[in-house]
């Protein structure tokens, strides 16, 4: 295969008329959010997980008082200045309508203006993940706030309508996308007033949110100008490499498959620890990883990727526990089947009939679900699938379950929990009972573990032991279904430079096209010599963090 010529042909400069089209089926608002808006720090593929954005420096006192020096010369997309007053106005609106995926809204006491370009946040307790939360403290114009407020939700914030309301390198031109609602198509235009050094190189970006994975694959692989970036099923890697229009890009990730047990209003069988144990131990993770996922991922003892900083060390410290656990608990299929039948007899159910459980999931996960069905059938569990087209449909049912308002009955629910926080909290936050992201009943131990995790800085000596103990507790109680952690696998237009990172973020400002890209060639045909297979852009974990 040939070396990819595109990285040597891009210029790092803005190309008028350039246009890139993406399909983002999982958490699309993550990529769009940091393209249309800005925050004190923004996500980065480095070990700390962030880099300065609207701030140029910060300091903290015991992780409880946080001070930021703001960047000067920053303007909103409509031309008005950004300064300390902008922060105070937005934080006042945040406190009325906060995001709820972390603890920040409950411990933020006040925000103080020190001078026009210095702000100070006061928290009621130490908070080791404040900089991760700061990634999602985005700022809007007074006109937008007057119309929509801060728009906080269980998911991350975003713009509720098109317009020059933000601070980012792209303006939301058409459509909208949030965690619980979106238009099928979202169009961004480069911001001519963008103040940062890393200005966009592509003029127009279109994001599709409701294609099927098969539609997206075919558009990227077999047509020119229809789709430039899309995740592809692992089974389509070879076809992607051989495509005349696409190349393959792969990166290790901190992403996870989140499969919930519904312990709030699902099948009562799930409240029995034996049934949750059977589900987790009937599913062969190594089989899923090596066959269903074609080796594109890593094994994980719980729903947290070992690729997160320090998590691998925490897992390694638990090896003796895992060995003892395996030797003292039933593992054989027949033993697991007997556990299901014992439960059925105790509940006056027919042990010869399968125990029926339902799974709600996005259609794009069917490649994984079929094998999970097979494993559970071996232990007398009939997994019935309720597949929906869009991620937002899954989220709607998940968010409504905590209040008992879910319209679709489900026992298990699967979504792509692709890292959005640059910290293991993006995996562990599903264990906060009572939150929209959790389907667990009240549990004091989990509250204490999650509180400790939010308080403890990554560099603390207590961090690895805490992560290890949290993993052990979750593993022992089988609070989620544990599946391998996937790599990021994309089909990418041959004339586009895109390096996938370790998370769900797609850094739109970094996209670049060559002069041979469909948006630059005009009516000219795509040259035959450019259609040949290219080497895979297979990044290591270290490269993905640079």
């Amino acid at each position: 295969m040939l070396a990819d010529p595109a990285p040597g042909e891009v210029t790092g400069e803005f190309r008028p008329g350039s246009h890139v089209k993406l399909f983002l089926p999982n958490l699309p608002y993550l990529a769009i959010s940091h393209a249309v808006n800005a925050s004190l720090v923004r996500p980065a593929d480095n070990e700390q997980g962030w880099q300065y954005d609207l701030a140029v420096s910060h300091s903290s006192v015991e992780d409880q008082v946080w001070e930021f020096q703001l960047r000067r010369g920053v303007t909103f997309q409509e031309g008005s200045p950004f300064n300390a007053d902008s922060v105070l106005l937005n934080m006042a609106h945040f406190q009325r309508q906060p995001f709820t995926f972390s603890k920040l809204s409950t411990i933020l006491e006040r925000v103080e203006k020190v001078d026009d370009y210095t702000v100070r946040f006061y928290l009621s307790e130490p908070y080791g993940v404040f900089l991760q939360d700061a990634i999602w403290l985005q700022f809007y114009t007074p006109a937008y706030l007057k119309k929509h407020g801060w728009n906080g939700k269980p998911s991350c914030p975003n713009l509720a309508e098109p317009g020059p309301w933000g601070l980012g390198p792209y303006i939301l031109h058409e459509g909208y996308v949030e965690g619980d609602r979106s238009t099928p198509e979202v169009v961004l235009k480069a911001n001519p007033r963008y103040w940062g050094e890393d200005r966009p190189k592509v003029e127009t970006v279109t994001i599709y949110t409701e294609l099927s994975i098969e539609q997206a694959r075919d558009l990227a692989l077999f047509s020119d100008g229809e789709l430039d970036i899309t995740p592809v099923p692992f089974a389509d890697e070879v076809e992607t490499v051989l495509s005349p229009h696409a190349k393959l890009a792969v990166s290790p990730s901190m992403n996870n498959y989140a499969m919930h047990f519904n312990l709030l209003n699902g099948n009562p069988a799930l409240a029995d620890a034996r049934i949750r144990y059977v589900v987790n131990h009937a599913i062969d993770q190594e089989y899923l990883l090596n066959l269903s996922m074609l080796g594109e991922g890593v094994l994980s003892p719980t729903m947290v990727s070992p690729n997160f900083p320090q998590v691998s060390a925490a897992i390694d410290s638990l090896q003796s526990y895992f060995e003892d656990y395996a030797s003292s608990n039933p593992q054989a299929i027949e033993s697991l089947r007997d556990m299901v039948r014992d439960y059925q007899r105790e509940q006056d159910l027919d042990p010869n009939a399968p125990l029926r459980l339902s799974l709600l999931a996005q259609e794009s996960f069917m490649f994984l679900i079929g094998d999970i069905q097979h494993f559970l059938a071996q232990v007398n569990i009939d997994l019935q699938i309720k597949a929906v087209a869009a991620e937002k449909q899954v989220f709607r049912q998940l968010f409504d379950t905590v209040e008992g308002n879910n319209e679709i009955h489900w026992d298990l629910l699967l979504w792509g929990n692709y890292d959005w926080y640059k910290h293991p909290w993006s995996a562990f936050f599903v264990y906060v009972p009572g939150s929209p992201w959790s389907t667990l009943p009240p549990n004091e131990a989990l509250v204490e573990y999650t509180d400790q995790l939010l308080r403890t800085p990554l560099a603390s000596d207590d961090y690895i032991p805490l992560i290890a103990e949290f993993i052990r507790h979750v593993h022992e109680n089988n609070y989620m279904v544990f599946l391998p952690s996937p790599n990021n696998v994309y089909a990418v237009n041959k004339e586009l430079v895109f390096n996938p990172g370790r998370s769900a973020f797609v850094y739109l400002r970094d996209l670049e096209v060559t002069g041979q890209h469909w948006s630059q060639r005009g009516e000219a045909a795509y040259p035959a010599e450019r259609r040949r297979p290219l080497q895979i852009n297979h990044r290591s974990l270290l490269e993905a963090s640079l």
Side-chain angles (χ1 to χ4, degrees):
M1 289 186 288
L2 302 176
D4 184 0
E9 295 180 8
V10 294
T11 65
E13 300 296 325
F14 178 77
R15 283 188 181 265
S18 55
H19 188 174
V20 169
K21 301 178 181 181
L22 306 86
F23 172 51
L24 299 176
N26 302 112
L27 310 181
Y29 53 91
L30 295 185
I32 295 170
S33 185
H34 281 277
V36 299
N37 217 324
S39 46
L40 297 172
V41 295
R42 62 181 171 93
D45 282 326
N46 55 34
E47 282 306 304
Q48 62 191 17
W50 57 267
Q51 65 188 73
Y52 289 116
D53 196 13
L54 295 172
V56 295
S57 66
H58 80 281
S59 61
S60 72
V61 178
E62 296 182 345
D63 295 327
Q64 194 166 343
V65 179
W66 295 79
E67 184 173 292
F68 294 86
Q69 297 293 320
L70 302 180
R71 192 181 301 276
R72 296 168 185 263
V74 174
T75 60
F76 284 97
Q77 291 163 346
E78 34 79 292
S80 64
F82 169 82
N83 52 33
D85 291 327
S86 308
V87 175
L88 266 61
L89 177 63
N90 273 267
M91 294 312 299
H93 280 272
F94 167 82
Q95 289 182 297
R96 296 185 204 119
Q97 290 180 295
F99 53 61
T100 56
F101 54 76
S102 76
K103 198 178 180 182
L104 180 62
S105 63
T106 65
I107 63 172
L108 177 62
E109 292 185 332
R110 69 185 191 278
V111 184
E112 176 181 282
K113 174 182 175 180
V114 178
D115 59 41
D116 284 347
Y117 293 97
T118 308
V119 291
R120 192 176 293 151
F121 292 74
Y122 291 87
L123 310 180
S124 61
E125 62 184 53
Y127 195 58
V129 297
F130 182 74
L131 290 173
Q132 273 71 32
D133 268 6
I135 288 174
W136 296 111
L137 293 176
Q138 298 179 345
F139 303 100
Y140 308 89
T141 64
Y144 177 87
L145 293 171
K146 185 177 181 180
K147 189 173 185 179
H148 295 287
W150 202 78
N151 202 26
K153 294 183 177 182
S155 52
C156 302
N158 216 312
L159 295 177
E161 67 172 39
W165 313 114
L167 290 153
Y170 283 95
I171 297 172
L172 183 59
H173 182 67
E174 295 178 20
Y176 57 84
V177 58
E178 300 176 287
D180 61 346
R181 68 184 199 111
S182 64
T183 50
E185 183 176 325
V186 177
V187 179
L188 312 181
K189 293 287 188 178
N191 174 16
R193 289 192 173 101
Y194 185 61
W195 42 268
E197 295 179 358
D198 48 354
R199 293 178 174 84
K201 293 87 175 168
V202 172
E203 183 173 344
T204 304
V205 176
T206 298
I207 299 99
Y208 301 101
T209 65
E210 294 186 4
L211 301 174
S212 71
I213 198 70
E214 292 81 10
Q215 284 177 301
R217 175 202 61 204
D218 290 350
L219 290 173
L221 270 57
F222 307 124
S223 62
D224 191 29
E226 297 296 332
L227 198 62
D228 294 288
I229 300 177
T230 179
V232 289
F234 306 119
D236 291 330
E237 288 187 357
V238 172
E239 196 166 21
T240 301
V241 172
L242 297 177
S243 163
H245 304 291
K247 56 192 175 187
L248 185 68
V250 180
S251 172
S253 81
M254 298 183 292
N255 301 336
N256 302 278
Y257 295 134
M259 185 179 281
H260 295 249
F261 288 116
N262 185 355
L263 299 185
L264 298 178
N265 60 15
N267 191 316
L270 298 176
D272 192 303
R274 292 171 298 176
I275 300 302
R276 300 197 305 275
Y277 175 91
V278 168
V279 170
N280 265 325
H281 291 81
I283 297 171
D284 187 333
Q285 270 211 46
E286 288 195 31
Y287 179 102
L288 291 182
L289 175 61
N290 293 316
L291 295 178
S292 307
M293 298 168 60
L294 299 182
E296 292 290 5
V298 291
L299 298 174
S300 178
T302 60
M303 197 275 294
V304 58
S305 170
N307 292 332
F308 279 110
Q310 308 287 22
V311 169
S312 180
I315 293 172
D316 289 344
S317 73
L318 291 169
Q319 287 312 303
S320 60
Y321 156 74
F322 289 128
E323 291 169 3
D324 292 343
Y325 185 87
S327 63
S328 58
N329 288 282
Q331 305 290 321
I333 291 298
E334 187 58 42
S335 299
L336 299 177
R337 188 183 302 120
D338 287 343
M339 292 174 71
V340 174
R341 288 173 173 164
D342 287 345
Y343 168 82
Q344 291 174 302
R345 292 188 185 99
E346 292 168 12
Q347 301 300 316
D348 293 325
L349 301 173
D350 182 0
N352 296 312
L355 177 66
R356 287 191 171 86
L357 299 176
S358 62
L359 169 64
L360 176 64
Q362 198 173 350
E363 291 172 351
S364 58
F365 292 115
M366 289 305 298
F367 76 96
L368 198 64
I369 291 169
D371 289 326
I372 292 173
Q373 276 183 304
H374 167 74
F375 287 125
L376 295 184
Q378 292 182 312
V379 294
N380 207 36
I381 293 176
D382 176 19
L383 188 63
Q384 300 180 333
I385 310 305
K386 300 178 179 181
V388 295
E391 181 184 64
K392 63 185 177 182
Q393 296 171 276
V394 177
F395 282 171
R396 182 73 276 143
Q397 301 308 314
L398 176 61
F399 296 161
D400 286 348
T401 297
V402 69
E403 301 293 339
N405 296 326
N406 49 304
E407 296 176 353
I408 300 176
H409 174 84
W410 62 273
D411 303 314
L412 293 93
L413 179 147
L414 174 63
W415 60 283
N417 186 5
Y418 296 172
D419 173 49
W420 46 269
Y421 201 66
K422 300 294 188 175
H423 184 280
W425 178 251
S426 64
F428 286 115
F429 84 124
V430 300
Y431 298 113
V432 181
S435 85
W437 293 97
S438 176
T439 54
L440 300 172
N443 186 309
E444 291 183 7
L446 287 177
V447 170
E448 179 58 28
Y449 279 124
T450 53
D451 280 353
Q452 286 186 54
L453 181 58
L454 291 172
R455 287 195 299 265
T456 307
L458 190 68
S460 168
D461 291 341
D462 297 327
Y463 184 78
I464 292 176
L466 171 61
I467 292 290
E469 181 58 23
F470 202 159
I471 289 173
R472 183 201 61 76
H473 181 74
V474 168
H475 183 267
E476 279 185 340
N477 290 278
N478 293 284
Y479 286 132
M480 298 279 285
V481 180
F482 308 138
L483 302 172
S485 298
N487 289 344
N488 282 323
V489 178
Y490 291 95
V492 180
N493 184 278
K494 290 183 189 291
E495 305 302 330
L496 173 65
V497 174
F498 165 63
N499 292 312
R502 297 184 296 173
S503 67
F505 295 102
V506 176
Y507 302 110
L508 301 181
R509 72 185 75 203
D510 295 335
L511 299 178
E512 292 192 69
V513 300
T514 73
Q516 291 293 337
H517 187 257
W518 61 267
S519 66
Q520 298 290 289
R521 291 196 319 270
E523 297 299 320
Y526 190 39
E529 65 270 16
R530 308 283 291 198
R531 302 182 182 216
R532 292 180 290 179
L534 300 177
Q535 293 175 357
I536 299 172
N537 180 8
H538 209 313
R539 310 187 85 206
S540 69
L541 185 61
L542 177 61
E543 289 171 325
S545 68
L546 298 177

